């Protein structure tokens, strides 16, 4: 298959796995082939001991303009119900235990915005535009949008975006807490890869434990979350890296993590 026919492009940069969504003519509209390939690439990096963090990016014009409307337009209820639409291949990202960063330039609309929301960190270029415009199609942000967006930015802003199809520019998305950082477009990939590289240099089991603990904060009452965190902390003391990290600090040297 030629590079231009591959729905995602996969590369490694040191301990960072880079996945580029690759349907530029359709503004990276997310069809089955792309979501299958994305899931496969994510799981392969997650299983690779040489990888500590993963970056998903799109093109300069679009991270992704949403689910593929052309593919969906004539589907019936039974097509999506029996075919387990979304469950089938959109939720693979939830199985990834290593940190996943989204590097977003241009449109992150509908499913594209939802994909970014499913990542752990969003780095936005100044050109980034975030929207859940499904209401214009009489559809619904059904790949986690109605659930992750209010958790990320609160009910007031989330209702506004979901019900009016309001688009947020990068500065608004930053102010509301939808994104982690905003950078100039020309520096988006380089800055996100540098951040991912910094993260990947830390102890992998500690990163995975922190990701699981922060995600638990979204999904459970405080008492349960604190309990989860406490066990995660105790487990750190079974990690060679944690002892190395603390002793390196005391010895005033750089730690050498073995990722175990
Ligand atoms: N699906 C399929 N094709 C698309 C999509 C899409 N989501 N977005 C863009 N394209 C195609 C266009 O049809 C066009 O194709 P062609 O050149 O053959 O005409 C090409 O990409 C370029 O697009 P435009 O000419 O429209 O580019 P513009 O720069 O004029 O506009 C926009 C860019 C504003 C992003 C515009 O393309 C747009 O509004 N796109 C649709 C955005 C949208 O509605 N997204 C939500 C889709 S629904 C969804 O994501 C649901 C997710 C949850 C799943 C659960 C059920 C729905």
């Amino acid at each position: 298959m030629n590079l231009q026919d591959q729905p995602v492009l996969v590369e490694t940069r040191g301990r960072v796995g880079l996945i580029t969504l690759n349907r530029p003519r359709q503004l990276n509209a997310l069809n089955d082939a792309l979501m299958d390939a994305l899931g496969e690439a994510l799981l392969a990096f997650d299983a690779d001991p040489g990888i500590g963090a993963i970056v998903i990016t799109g093109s300069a014009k679009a991270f992704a303009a949403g689910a593929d409307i052309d593919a969906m337009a004539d589907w019936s209820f039974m097509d999506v119900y029996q075919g387990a639409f979304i469950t089938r291949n959109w939720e693979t990202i939830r199985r990834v235990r290593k940190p996943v960063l989204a590097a977003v330039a241009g449109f992150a609309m509908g499913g594209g915005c939802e994909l970014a929301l499913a990542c752990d960190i969003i780095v936005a270029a100044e050109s980034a535009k975030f929207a859940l415009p499904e209401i214009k199609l009489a559809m619904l942000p059904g790949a986690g949008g109605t659930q992750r967006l209010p958790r990320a930015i609160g009910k007031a802003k989330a209702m506004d975006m979901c019900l009016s199809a309001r688009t947020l520019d990068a500065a608004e998305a930053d102010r509301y807490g939808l994104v982690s950082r905003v950078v100039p477009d020309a520096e988006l990939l380089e800055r996100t890869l540098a951040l991912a590289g910094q993260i990947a240099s830390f102890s992998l089991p500690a990163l995975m434990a922190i990701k699981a603990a922060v995600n638990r904060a979204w999904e459970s009452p405080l008492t349960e979350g604190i309990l989860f965190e406490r066990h995660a902390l105790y487990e750190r003391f079974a990690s060679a890296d944690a002892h190395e990290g603390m002793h390196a600090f005391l010895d005033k040297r750089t730690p050498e993590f073995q990722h175990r």
Side-chain angles (χ1 to χ4, degrees):
M1 202 191 275
N2 293 328
L3 273 188
Q4 70 262 28
D5 298 328
Q6 294 175 9
V8 304
L9 305 176
V10 178
E11 301 161 62
T12 55
R13 307 279 177 92
R15 286 183 56 76
V16 176
L18 172 62
I19 303 172
T20 305
L21 310 181
N22 188 39
R23 298 186 73 210
R25 279 188 302 280
Q26 295 82 13
L27 305 185
N28 290 328
L30 304 166
N31 63 3
D32 256 348
L34 191 153
M35 293 312 291
D36 285 343
L38 174 62
E40 212 174 288
L42 283 168
L43 293 182
F45 281 141
D46 206 35
D48 182 343
I51 295 295
I54 302 166
V55 173
I56 302 176
T57 196
S59 69
K61 180 164 182 196
F63 178 70
D68 190 327
I69 300 168
D70 193 31
M72 293 189 299
D74 294 320
W75 286 347
S76 69
F77 168 78
M78 279 310 282
D79 288 336
V80 294
Y81 184 56
Q82 201 158 33
F85 179 44
I86 303 299
T87 315
R88 182 175 64 231
N89 51 10
W90 284 65
E91 291 184 336
T92 309
I93 194 165
R94 295 187 67 193
R95 290 161 52 195
V96 177
R97 296 187 299 163
K98 293 174 182 172
V100 181
L101 295 79
V104 177
F107 298 108
M109 313 270 276
C113 182
E114 292 173 299
L115 176 60
L117 281 166
C119 295
D120 303 309
I121 289 177
I122 302 176
V123 181
E126 284 162 351
S127 69
K129 289 178 265 309
F130 297 88
L132 292 177
E134 284 89 343
I135 187 61
K136 291 190 189 171
L137 308 171
M139 290 297 291
L140 168 151
T146 65
Q147 302 305 301
R148 288 199 181 93
L149 190 65
R151 283 169 168 79
I153 67 173
K155 180 182 166 187
K157 301 291 185 202
M159 279 290 192
D160 189 357
M161 286 181 71
C162 291
L163 297 178
S164 76
R166 175 180 178 184
T167 299
L168 299 187
D169 64 25
E172 289 168 317
D174 191 28
R175 203 156 63 239
Y176 301 160
L178 175 51
V179 305
S180 309
R181 305 178 184 199
V182 179
V183 301
D185 279 69
E187 297 171 19
L188 175 68
L189 192 57
E190 175 201 334
R191 297 266 294 265
T192 311
L193 287 170
L195 174 61
Q198 181 199 357
I199 291 170
S201 75
F202 296 133
S203 167
L204 182 56
L207 292 170
M208 291 164 77
I210 290 170
K211 172 169 172 167
V214 174
N215 277 335
R216 187 55 69 108
W218 274 45
E219 293 182 16
S220 58
L222 183 62
T223 306
E224 196 194 308
I226 292 285
L227 192 60
F228 185 90
E229 182 195 71
R230 194 65 35 83
H231 282 291
L233 172 68
Y234 292 166
E235 283 162 20
R236 293 288 77 237
F237 289 85
S239 161
D241 280 351
H243 294 289
E244 166 63 8
M246 291 187 281
H247 280 288
F249 173 80
L250 294 173
D251 298 346
K252 301 190 188 310
R253 61 177 172 80
T254 306
E256 285 181 29
F257 294 127
Q258 304 299 317
H259 305 291
R260 58 195 171 85

